[in-house]
Amino acid sequence: MTAASPILDIQDLRKSYGANEILKGIDLAVHAQETVFIIGPSGSGKSTLLRCCNRLETPDAGTVTVDGVDLGDPRTDINAMRRRIGMVFQSFNLYPHMKAMDNITLALRRVSKKSRADAEVLALAALERVGLAEKRNAYPAELSGGQQQRIAIARALALEPKVMLFDEPTSALDPELVGSVLAVMSDMARAGMTMVVVSHEMRFARDAADRVVFMDHGVIVEQGSPGEIFGQSQHARTRAFVSQLER
Amino acid sequence: MERFVDTFFNASVIASTWPKILSGMLITVELALSVVVTGLAFGLFLALIRTAQIRLLNAAIVVFVDVLRALPPLVMVLIIYFGLPNVGLTLPSFAVLWLVLAAVLAAFAEEIFWAGILSVRRGQWDAARSTGLTFPDTLAFVVLPQTIRMVLPPLVNRTIAITKNTALGTVIGVPELLNQATTAVSFLSNATPLMLAAIGYLIIFVPVVLFGSWLEQRFAFRKA
Amino acid sequence: MDAFIEQFFNLGVMAKAFPLLMRGLGMTLLICLAVIPLGFVGGLLVALARLSRSAMLRISVRILTDLFRALPPLVLLILVYSGLPFTGIRLSPFTAVCIAFFLNSSAYYGEVLRAGVESIGSGQWEAARSTGLSGRDTFLFVVLPQAVRNVLPDLVSNTIEVVKLTSIASVVSMTELLYSADMARSITFNASPVVLAGLIYLVLLWPAVRLASRLEHRVGT
């Protein structure tokens, strides 16, 4: 593998639900340490695209390759791969019956086969990265939405993923809690994590994104630097969408 | 296979026993209906009394419900059926079983109705009373209708589980379905009547079980 | 009134019957110890089958549980205990009781657990799968613990029903609590032993009944 080969490589990805074609042939390559934002109106297929990247959805056609491994290959151990593909959900999806620490160590112990002690060391490091080490014994219900989302990020981080997928990570949060989550994400981007983010946080995208992808009706309409997409887009659809966000 | 058919679905045994099985089935249905009607009515009555919030009465209802939830019905059946005659009170076996099962059903039904009434928010009472509705009217037209979605699925399931205990009549000689079957089995040394009885119970209860599952699906959010 | 007490609360008779009843209680507990875990595990399998991708499995398990919920447990017990011997399969009363009550209680536990599993949103499955957890591990460590907690009141009251159910084993001459009490009654011509058995069931189950009703109201509000 050459240094230039992408961490995440999506080729001609297609997905339909019944007669409704959600993804109409998506090509996207994300390179190491890149932060890519995917924006677009609801129903444009952004979330489905993200969920195909760790096979929570099974695509109808096309390939998704992560770190050189074709996820659709029947010989691929998908659970071993998912460990390498972190995902953060809009609704956090923390396990409510487990403390923050146990939320993080579960996969370390069951998938990475680490001892409890080793898993806790890794989990604590992840908790420190999101600034919540002191909440390790809290249950999700005792935490604010922003804290829950940061724990969810730590849960993915602890598995040392090659790439992190964020599915609208701040849209379920009260406005005053958004900042803490975005700060954690900025730190990760700066530290060199490869990230694919579905989000409408424009200001944040402007600062953190290396590239912005605009999707509509199941296709990638255009992509470019934040300046190009938010500033002087050539496409009327992009401009219309961006101006809506700014309001 | 032939032996199996001969043992469990013997044509000549079916021919000779079906009238008895059918008469047993009628008694089972009769008993079941009496239990359901009186048990549910008494259970609702107790729940309504409880809304009046009279402390002593409420405590008595809670004890009644707890005891009947904790005691196996067969224990009560044996105490009443074999005990009462010795103090000069003889009840027919049908009546004993009916009394016991109706009381058990009433206890469970009271719990379910009461939980339903509690689930209706205070504001509903306030709103109804503020328009001048009386307490009974508020209960009947505003509160109880709102409890149906929450109450009906568990109520149907409980009712089935308790009514099935009519089979306990066998133990004290009520000539119901299972009793007819076991008697025939011991006379004929063949298991066919038992299978007929089982089929009889399925005919009576499967429709109610299906109704219960249908209700549960319709009101799926029961306890969110 | 005296005749009533003499007949139902005769302390002398109760005292004499007490050792016999204690032995019966031992058997009752033994049956519970066998049937409750069996039924719970059976119920888990039923719940899993009801969630299976195979429609065949889903439907056949659905039909079986509906049948066992429609059949009175006593009918099931007598079928197993007195029906099977006609085919040459002779079971000890204890085995017959275990089989019959296993079939009955798996159906009930299965329904309760299925409702519990269905109450867990797909986000929990997805979050767990996204960290690489297998389907089995996700079910065992993420979904099942939450499901059990959500339906705890129903699980407790179902378990109470199973304990009460064991009294029916007396019909096939299992020397459990009620059988022993009824034997003492027929010897003494006095209902007090059965009343005593009732009291023992109360002591055994009242705390559980209180717990179930507390839990129900906690969830209800």
Side-chain angles (χ1 to χ4, degrees):
Chain A
M1 214 190 321
T2 63
S5 67
I7 295 273
L8 171 66
D9 194 5
I10 300 166
Q11 285 179 2
D12 194 32
L13 195 70
R14 289 168 191 279
K15 174 77 185 174
S16 306
Y17 295 105
N20 193 3
E21 197 175 14
I22 302 288
L23 297 178
K24 301 172 182 163
I26 300 283
D27 294 288
L28 183 68
V30 179
H31 291 268
Q33 312 210 335
E34 221 187 345
T35 299
V36 175
F37 268 66
I38 302 176
I39 61 170
S42 60
S44 58
K46 308 169 304 239
S47 285
T48 309
L49 174 63
L50 218 54
R51 292 157 62 85
C52 284
C53 293
N54 64 355
R55 276 188 109 68
L56 284 181
E57 301 284 352
T58 311
D60 299 333
T63 57
V64 177
T65 312
V66 174
D67 204 17
V69 179
D70 176 4
L71 296 189
D73 189 326
R75 283 164 302 178
T76 300
D77 177 353
I78 188 63
N79 290 330
M81 282 311 292
R82 279 176 175 154
R83 200 164 38 125
R84 296 283 170 235
I85 311 166
M87 185 154 192
V88 176
F89 300 83
Q90 179 178 353
S91 48
F92 328 141
N93 295 344
L94 289 181
Y95 314 135
H97 61 302
M98 293 181 184
K99 293 174 176 173
M101 180 60 100
D102 299 324
N103 261 277
I104 299 170
T105 55
L106 180 63
L108 285 168
R109 293 167 60 201
R110 301 297 307 175
V111 189
S112 308
K113 307 287 179 203
K114 301 236 186 282
S115 71
R116 179 185 279 275
D118 289 350
E120 290 191 348
V121 170
L122 290 171
L124 201 57
L127 280 169
E128 268 159 13
R129 281 186 73 179
V130 301
L132 286 175
E134 81 280 7
K135 295 290 185 192
R136 58 179 171 273
N137 287 322
Y139 284 95
E142 299 162 1
L143 300 169
S144 74
Q147 289 172 330
Q148 288 191 49
Q149 190 61 300
R150 283 149 68 196
I151 303 282
I153 291 174
R155 175 171 69 184
L157 262 183
L159 294 164
E160 295 170 334
K162 296 277 183 193
V163 53
M164 291 267 290
L165 313 171
F166 293 85
D167 190 1
E168 307 209 17
T170 56
S171 48
L173 294 175
D174 292 335
E176 73 272 17
L177 299 175
V178 169
S180 65
V181 172
L182 295 184
V184 166
M185 289 170 66
S186 301
D187 283 350
M188 288 166 64
R190 234 173 290 130
M193 176 59 74
T194 310
M195 299 170 29
V196 182
V197 184
V198 169
S199 169
H200 291 155
E201 297 288 341
M202 275 237 299
R203 189 134 33 97
F204 178 59
R206 232 187 267 272
D207 295 343
D210 298 308
R211 183 152 49 110
V212 176
V213 175
F214 176 64
M215 273 182 78
D216 197 11
H217 294 299
V219 296
I220 293 180
V221 178
E222 66 171 325
Q223 46 183 310
S225 70
E228 286 163 358
I229 300 296
F230 297 132
Q232 60 271 0
S233 169
Q234 303 303 310
H235 285 77
R237 271 150 88 190
T238 313
R239 279 201 306 273
F241 179 72
V242 168
S243 71
Q244 252 185 342
L245 285 187
E246 274 165 348
R247 251 187 289 132
Chain B
M1 188 61 205
E2 212 168 303
R3 178 156 176 216
F4 179 83
V5 173
D6 207 50
T7 310
F8 289 103
F9 298 96
N10 188 308
S12 68
V13 173
I14 294 177
S16 66
T17 53
W18 75 262
K20 280 219 181 315
I21 296 288
L22 194 65
S23 79
M25 206 168 147
L26 285 178
I27 291 183
T28 293
V29 170
E30 204 180 317
L31 192 50
L33 287 178
S34 326
V35 167
V36 170
V37 171
T38 50
L40 291 183
F42 190 49
L44 180 60
F45 172 71
L46 289 178
L48 293 181
I49 289 188
R50 212 164 155 187
T51 59
Q53 302 284 18
I54 303 163
R55 188 167 294 197
L56 207 67
L57 225 46
N58 280 10
I61 293 173
V62 170
V63 170
F64 170 80
V65 168
D66 276 11
V67 169
L68 282 146
R69 271 184 81 171
L71 277 182
L74 189 53
V75 172
M76 293 181 267
V77 166
L78 293 183
I79 292 175
I80 296 180
Y81 186 72
F82 291 112
L84 280 189
N86 291 350
V87 291
L89 208 101
T90 307
L91 285 176
S93 53
F94 183 100
V96 170
L97 195 54
W98 166 62
L99 268 178
V100 168
L101 295 185
V104 172
L105 179 55
F108 278 97
E110 191 278 334
E111 279 260 312
I112 295 171
F113 282 126
W114 178 240
I117 291 171
L118 280 186
S119 76
V120 175
R121 269 171 299 140
R122 182 83 237 156
Q124 293 292 311
W125 287 92
D126 294 344
R129 299 306 295 277
S130 77
T131 62
L133 252 59
T134 62
F135 182 85
D137 277 356
T138 304
L139 203 52
F141 298 109
V142 178
V143 174
L144 284 182
Q146 296 189 48
T147 67
I148 284 179
R149 294 153 70 86
M150 188 182 156
V151 158
L152 218 45
L155 198 60
V156 170
N157 287 338
R158 266 305 167 203
T159 304
I160 299 167
I162 292 164
T163 317
K164 283 193 308 188
N165 283 324
T166 51
L168 295 180
T170 307
V171 181
I172 54 170
V174 180
E176 48 74 62
L177 184 49
L178 179 60
N179 194 359
Q180 298 289 0
T182 49
T183 310
V185 168
S186 57
F187 269 117
L188 301 168
S189 289
N190 183 291
T192 305
L194 266 182
M195 289 311 282
L196 289 182
I199 292 167
Y201 281 107
L202 293 183
I203 291 172
I204 300 172
F205 286 110
V206 163
V208 201
V209 168
L210 293 180
F211 176 62
S213 324
W214 177 79
L215 278 176
E216 215 154 302
Q217 258 165 21
R218 262 203 72 191
F219 304 141
F221 67 100
R222 186 183 143 200
K223 288 176 188 167
Chain C
M1 194 60 205
D2 275 355
F4 181 83
I5 290 174
E6 162 81 24
Q7 176 62 25
F8 292 101
F9 294 95
N10 192 317
L11 290 182
V13 173
M14 282 184 178
K16 249 187 267 164
F18 190 72
L20 186 64
L21 262 59
M22 281 296 115
R23 273 204 298 280
L25 177 62
M27 179 56 85
T28 291
L29 294 177
L30 196 64
I31 299 173
C32 290
L33 223 55
V35 174
I36 293 172
L38 274 178
F40 188 84
V41 170
L44 262 183
L45 295 178
V46 166
L48 278 176
R50 292 288 303 271
L51 296 165
S52 150
R53 244 171 286 177
S54 149
M56 261 290 286
L57 186 62
R58 274 202 317 268
I59 293 170
S60 41
V61 168
R62 167 84 203 268
I63 291 175
L64 279 177
T65 48
D66 279 357
L67 287 187
F68 289 125
R69 290 204 305 160
L71 269 185
L74 182 55
V75 174
L76 209 52
L77 177 57
I78 290 182
L79 260 176
V80 173
Y81 183 70
S82 332
L84 282 185
F86 286 105
T87 63
I89 304 170
R90 200 163 289 281
L91 300 171
S92 72
F94 188 76
T95 315
V97 162
C98 285
I99 292 174
F101 291 178
F102 164 72
L103 294 175
N104 175 274
S105 57
S106 310
Y108 279 96
Y109 277 121
E111 281 302 293
V112 171
L113 289 170
R114 179 187 58 82
V117 169
E118 282 176 358
S119 74
I120 306 304
S122 59
Q124 291 291 314
W125 285 95
E126 289 178 352
R129 297 309 299 271
S130 82
T131 63
L133 244 56
S134 65
R136 206 199 58 166
D137 279 356
T138 302
F139 182 77
L140 233 47
F141 295 106
V142 176
V143 175
L144 187 61
Q146 298 182 60
V148 165
R149 198 156 68 169
N150 282 2
V151 294
L152 200 57
D154 290 346
L155 282 176
V156 173
S157 63
N158 202 41
T159 305
I160 296 171
E161 292 307 305
V162 177
V163 178
K164 284 157 63 180
L165 185 66
T166 60
S167 66
I168 288 178
S170 59
V171 178
V172 296
S173 309
M174 280 294 289
T175 50
E176 47 71 74
L177 180 52
L178 184 55
Y179 184 88
S180 313
D182 198 50
M183 204 161 76
R185 175 196 61 78
S186 61
I187 296 167
T188 57
F189 296 102
N190 186 296
S192 304
V194 188
V195 172
L196 181 59
L199 291 174
I200 294 172
Y201 280 111
L202 270 186
V203 169
L204 207 60
L205 291 178
W206 199 332
V209 167
R210 277 285 92 223
L211 176 70
S213 112
R214 293 261 300 265
L215 289 172
E216 273 156 27
H217 289 300
R218 191 197 67 191
V219 173
T221 46

